[in-house]
Amino acid sequence: MAVQTTRTAQEMEEYCARLRAAGLDAPWSRPGPLIPPKPTATQPRHWRWRDIEPLLRESSEFLSPHRGAERRVLRLHNPGVPERTVAHSLVLAIQYLLPGEVAPAHRHSPTAIRFMLHGEGAFTTVDGQKCAMQAGDLVLTPGMAWHDHGNEGGAPVYWMDILDWQIVRFLENLTFEPYPDDQQTAVRAPGRDIYFPWSETYAALLRRAEQAPDPYDDVLLEYLDPASSSSLRPTVACYLQMIRPGVRTRAHRETSCAVYRVVRGKGATTVDDQTFEWEPGDFFVIPPRARHAHANAGAEPAVLFTAQDVPLLRLLRLYQMEPAD
Ligand SMILES: [Fe+2]
Ligand SMILES: [Fe+2]
């Protein structure tokens, strides 16, 4: 930017030094636009389950969950995000517990959403509500709810954790507190506001499939808070999605970010100039404003679980979707 001035460059430098000393800044004293564009840190990325699984199993040889380490998790690391999380706004981790292990009780300001992936006997206790976790069950741990996990089965279990940790961190409100004991006492059955069994969600997805499809997402079902009918959290929404055999969706762009786990079936998602051919267990991430479309060329329906920061974008009136065919 050419700065119009009646002063010399040296006088300008001295003026800027006086500004700094006064805790002030003149953005026009530097070249470039007033609001420079910020490149998206989150990159399109596909993680294959066949690469993750052996590394996940091996992790038990390095660490037992205990006070201090707290959780045996592997986080999905997006190469563009300095904090080594799946996306700029969301954290996605896979948590692994051997038979008899307990992940000690604690609480923190970020919300966690668990989606059970594999094994029998896993549970999460949330504020005294013990939730048995079968494959496909969703358990919500709202920010500042006490929670511990355990494996009462005879074989390893694992699930995925989605957290709004990055958003809470950006707002400089991260807090963490250990519970006095390793485990809470279970005092009541889980409420319907925190526990979403697979059998009910999948049945609802099949009913949704009988209605008119969505041109961009085919069959999309959002998990809703039963009391308010709003998204699970103001920061993050979760969905179960079906791409039916032979369907190729229209392409679109959204200002929000989406992380996906393939629950069953095979298919492909094109994100900008890349195509991710996914299989059961795979994960992928779609950054804000990336052009994306899904396809299922197979004979079986594909089912995806996805978490997205749509509610926060809506609250900020920043959510936009546009066709991108
Ligand atoms: Fe936690
Ligand atoms: Fe989308």
Side-chain angles (χ1 to χ4, degrees):
M1 186 196 308
V3 179
Q4 292 183 354
T5 176
T6 57
R7 303 288 195 93
T8 65
Q10 189 182 344
E11 284 173 329
M12 170 82 128
E13 256 176 52
E14 288 163 6
Y15 171 71
C16 287
R18 278 184 281 134
L19 286 178
R20 275 196 299 281
L24 298 169
D25 177 62
W28 43 261
S29 64
R30 294 181 297 277
L34 179 64
I35 301 181
K38 176 177 178 284
T40 306
T42 303
Q43 297 173 9
R45 174 85 205 230
H46 176 202
W47 291 261
R48 294 189 183 280
W49 183 245
R50 62 169 182 255
D51 298 328
I52 296 173
E53 188 176 18
L55 295 168
L56 182 68
R57 293 193 181 280
E58 196 179 345
S59 69
S60 66
E61 296 167 24
F62 293 95
L63 175 84
S64 296
H66 59 273
R67 198 55 86 190
E70 302 291 324
R71 302 296 187 252
R72 183 194 291 120
V73 291
L74 292 184
R75 280 190 194 140
L76 269 57
H77 172 190
N78 191 304
V81 180
E83 293 81 19
R84 303 186 187 189
T85 57
V86 71
H88 60 289
S89 55
L90 297 172
V91 171
L92 195 164
I94 309 158
Q95 190 164 162
Y96 187 74
L97 278 187
L98 297 176
E101 283 186 332
V102 165
H106 64 206
R107 67 178 182 177
H108 38 68
S109 48
T111 283
I113 296 168
R114 334 264 171 207
F115 185 76
M116 187 64 195
L117 300 181
H118 176 83
E120 300 289 330
F123 68 88
T124 293
T125 304
V126 181
D127 278 343
Q129 304 164 78
K130 185 172 179 179
C131 308
M133 292 154 69
Q134 307 281 341
D137 292 351
L138 182 147
V139 175
L140 174 69
T141 306
M144 297 316 285
W146 295 110
H147 56 282
D148 54 85
H149 315 287
N151 177 3
E152 297 174 322
V157 297
Y158 48 86
W159 62 87
M160 63 190 267
D161 298 319
I162 305 273
L163 288 93
D164 59 5
W165 174 77
Q166 284 280 61
I167 297 164
V168 178
R169 178 179 171 278
F170 175 77
L171 297 172
E172 307 204 338
N173 272 270
L174 269 185
T175 61
F176 174 90
E177 228 180 304
Y179 190 72
D181 303 313
D182 274 358
Q183 288 186 277
Q184 304 165 75
T185 306
V187 291
R188 59 192 165 106
R192 297 188 64 83
D193 56 333
I194 64 159
Y195 184 53
F196 299 78
W198 169 257
S199 56
E200 292 180 20
T201 317
Y202 186 59
L205 183 71
L206 294 178
R207 288 196 297 277
R208 175 62 53 86
E210 294 167 5
Q211 300 172 10
D214 181 294
Y216 305 100
D217 286 305
D218 200 26
V219 183
L220 190 71
L221 178 79
E222 184 176 358
Y223 292 79
L224 295 175
D225 178 87
S228 64
S229 294
S230 56
S231 298
L232 288 184
R233 297 298 287 172
T235 44
V236 59
C238 293
Y239 311 81
L240 203 59
Q241 181 169 1
M242 181 187 290
I243 312 292
R244 294 164 303 151
V247 165
R248 175 176 291 273
T249 71
R250 290 186 61 189
H252 67 168
R253 298 178 194 275
E254 291 166 276
T255 50
S256 48
C257 179
V259 296
Y260 279 85
R261 156 88 183 188
V262 182
V263 178
R264 59 176 69 159
K266 294 182 183 180
T269 296
T270 300
V271 185
D272 286 335
D273 56 357
Q274 301 182 61
T275 297
F276 302 141
E277 295 194 355
W278 37 257
E279 297 183 357
D282 289 3
F283 298 88
F284 57 93
V285 57
I286 302 175
R289 293 173 294 279
R291 178 184 184 275
H292 59 281
H294 310 286
N296 178 358
E300 300 294 324
V303 178
L304 305 165
F305 174 85
T306 167
Q308 308 187 9
D309 55 14
V310 169
L312 182 61
L313 275 287
R314 283 196 203 280
L315 276 172
L316 298 172
R317 301 190 184 171
L318 290 171
Y319 180 76
Q320 286 177 9
M321 188 285 277
E322 61 180 31
D325 296 316

